[in-house]
Amino acid sequence: MDNFSPEQYDRYEAYRRNALPKQGVRRVVQQALNQQISTPVAQVVAGFSKVFVGEIVEKARKAQQRRGESGPLSPDHLREAYREYQEEAGRVGATRPLRGKKLFLR
């Protein structure tokens, strides 16, 4: 953190101060899974979600810089960041087919 520029330090502090609301995350996950989840599970999902959002925002900032633009991020910057993320990590939120392999054998 000693090597951060003032702008980077401000962004880091904002990242540390903010959190996704656990009840909102819990509600979304419960709706997606159609079952109840515990509070610790909601906390874990909220943590991973915060990291994901942070990565997308950083990629969007880089896309903005590549375009020579400044100011707040636009939806175009976020879409470009998400597209780049998908290229690096594969499809987000989609399971890959198992190609006939069985997970559990007797």
Side-chain angles (χ1 to χ4, degrees):
M1 289 187 351
D2 294 336
N3 297 327
F4 282 176
S5 70
E7 182 181 323
Q8 288 174 322
Y9 188 77
D10 290 343
R11 283 201 321 260
Y12 174 75
E13 285 297 316
Y15 176 80
R16 294 271 304 175
R17 279 192 307 268
N18 292 300
L20 296 172
K22 308 289 185 291
Q23 287 301 325
V25 169
R26 188 174 185 190
R27 192 170 36 251
V28 168
V29 172
Q30 287 177 167
Q31 287 175 348
L33 298 178
N34 265 347
Q35 65 184 30
Q36 297 293 317
I37 64 165
S38 64
T39 302
V41 171
Q43 288 176 326
V44 169
V45 172
F48 278 110
S49 300
K50 182 177 175 179
V51 170
F52 175 73
V53 168
E55 288 182 20
I56 294 297
V57 168
E58 284 302 312
K59 286 183 183 304
R61 282 221 162 289
K62 289 178 184 172
Q64 182 185 40
Q65 288 174 350
R66 280 195 307 270
R67 293 180 179 183
E69 300 170 355
S70 62
L73 294 174
S74 72
D76 285 342
H77 300 133
L78 295 170
R79 279 190 285 271
E80 176 67 17
Y82 184 69
R83 186 192 61 73
E84 289 175 11
Y85 186 88
Q86 281 185 316
E87 282 181 2
E88 292 174 10
R91 289 190 51 122
V92 177
T95 58
R96 294 189 176 105
L98 295 175
R99 298 184 192 156
K101 295 180 183 174
K102 305 237 182 209
L103 288 177
F104 303 104
L105 300 173
R106 287 186 184 206

